[in-house]
Amino acid sequence: MITVTVLHPGTMGAAITAELVAGGHEALSVTKGRSENTWVRGREAGATAYDSLAEALSRSAVVLSVCPPQAAEDVAAAVAAHGFEGVYVDVNAISPQRVRRIADETRPGSAIVDGAVFGQPPGEGRATRLYLAGADSAVELVASLFTDSALHVCRVGDTLGSASALKMAFSSYQKAARTLAGVAHALADAHGVGDQLTAEAEVMISAILSDPEYLPRAAARAWRWAPEMEDVADTLRAADLPTDMAEATARVLAYWEQDKDQFDLPVVHTLSQLRSGRSTWTGPDNKQGPGR
């Protein structure tokens, strides 16, 4: 049995916690400074709650960071400040540059594993992929946590940032494509041709544009996706590729920020938000994004 602290279990983190517990490992969560929803999710997944981060870390061989991307470095810094010397696994949707910064700031003697999760939260018949990059011994330890689980481990090499780069490459299409579908449907809706657009999209190979009912779910996740697209832009910039699409996607996603976690809103509301002119995106220069 290996003891793992999971910081901080949202929907994905709670599902991963449940897989750890089902595999016979001990999972810990930290309640101090967290919302009631967070610690309830951890408890329901089978985690043992600790009020103190220091105490949880003292008992753990592995820390698994599964948090909103904008919080990834703060979570890593908090763990490093307590002198943790085990294996720290960052599975957040962040850029390779940020993974390397986290590695640079960790305590000597600890090991960093770069991770990326693909798919829906594991469990209930769903198989999810966990890509890992890092030193052999650390990756093997993390992989052993999920033997015969619904979280299928795939190795992408020993270079930190490789797993995150894969996630950024995938997200650069996945998130942008869903945002583009929202813009297209909003424009068609404004001109009363939404049904015709959907009909045309049905002959396309891609199913994204033919499913406007998905858009409220995209809007509900926009508060997470916008920071992720900023990391996509950083990744593209580092590779001397254009960043315009990723930055534009972040600006558009900010129109949906007030719909955070509201998965049951009607499609017409989601489309109207894109015409509202109330973007909250601040961008890399911290200036308010343009509205109308």
Side-chain angles (χ1 to χ4, degrees):
M1 181 183 72
I2 298 172
T3 301
V4 183
T5 291
V6 182
L7 304 173
H8 293 278
T11 303
M12 179 64 77
I16 292 175
T17 298
E19 293 297 318
L20 287 168
V21 173
H25 302 291
E26 182 182 22
L28 311 182
S29 64
V30 178
T31 58
K32 185 176 181 179
R34 312 312 306 170
S35 69
E36 181 179 355
N37 285 340
T38 299
W39 62 259
V40 167
R41 278 191 294 260
R43 183 187 65 196
E44 292 178 344
T48 301
Y50 282 85
D51 182 62
S52 165
L53 175 61
E55 186 175 4
L57 295 178
S58 71
R59 297 172 179 271
S60 300
V62 177
V63 170
L64 197 63
S65 175
V66 193
C67 64
Q70 57 267 41
E73 287 172 272
D74 289 341
V75 170
V79 171
H82 286 284
F84 179 69
E85 293 186 344
V87 175
Y88 185 88
V89 191
D90 189 297
V91 299
N92 303 303
I94 62 175
S95 69
Q97 299 93 291
R98 292 180 69 191
V99 172
R100 289 190 284 269
R101 284 203 298 268
I102 287 171
D104 289 341
E105 294 171 2
T106 56
R107 185 181 178 90
S110 63
I112 304 299
V113 173
D114 172 30
V117 180
F118 285 73
Q120 296 297 312
E124 299 181 359
R126 294 184 302 269
T128 306
R129 281 86 59 211
L130 173 61
Y131 288 84
L132 299 175
D136 286 343
S137 59
V139 169
E140 288 171 5
L141 175 62
V142 177
S144 73
L145 298 172
F146 301 105
T147 302
D148 297 326
S149 77
L151 197 63
H152 297 171
V153 175
C154 310
R155 180 155 188 178
V156 289
D158 56 6
T159 302
L160 286 179
S162 296
S164 289
L166 175 62
K167 182 69 174 182
M168 293 292 99
F170 183 76
S171 295
S172 69
Y173 167 77
Q174 183 198 37
K175 270 65 173 184
R178 282 156 174 75
T179 305
L180 284 172
V183 172
H185 280 288
L187 177 60
D189 182 71
H191 289 272
V193 292
D195 291 344
Q196 290 83 353
L197 175 64
T198 300
E200 277 298 313
E202 286 174 351
V203 303
M204 298 171 59
I205 296 176
S206 172
I208 294 172
L209 195 58
S210 65
D211 183 21
E213 296 298 322
Y214 176 83
L215 294 173
R217 284 174 280 163
R221 297 182 177 98
W223 69 282
R224 285 177 173 267
W225 287 2
E228 183 176 345
M229 292 310 297
E230 292 172 12
D231 277 290
V232 169
D234 286 344
T235 307
L236 294 169
R237 189 178 295 110
D240 293 324
L241 292 170
T243 63
D244 307 70
M245 188 61 223
E247 292 172 347
T249 300
R251 287 195 294 271
V252 173
L253 285 167
Y255 282 81
W256 286 333
E257 188 171 73
Q258 62 187 306
D259 294 339
K260 175 181 176 179
D261 292 339
Q262 299 184 59
F263 293 91
D264 297 323
L265 292 172
V267 174
V268 64
H269 168 86
T270 303
L271 301 182
S272 68
Q273 291 292 79
L274 295 175
R275 300 196 297 269
S276 69
R278 293 194 295 272
S279 174
T280 59
W281 186 79
T282 56
D285 58 358
N286 294 318
K287 295 180 180 178
Q288 184 70 25
R292 290 190 299 278

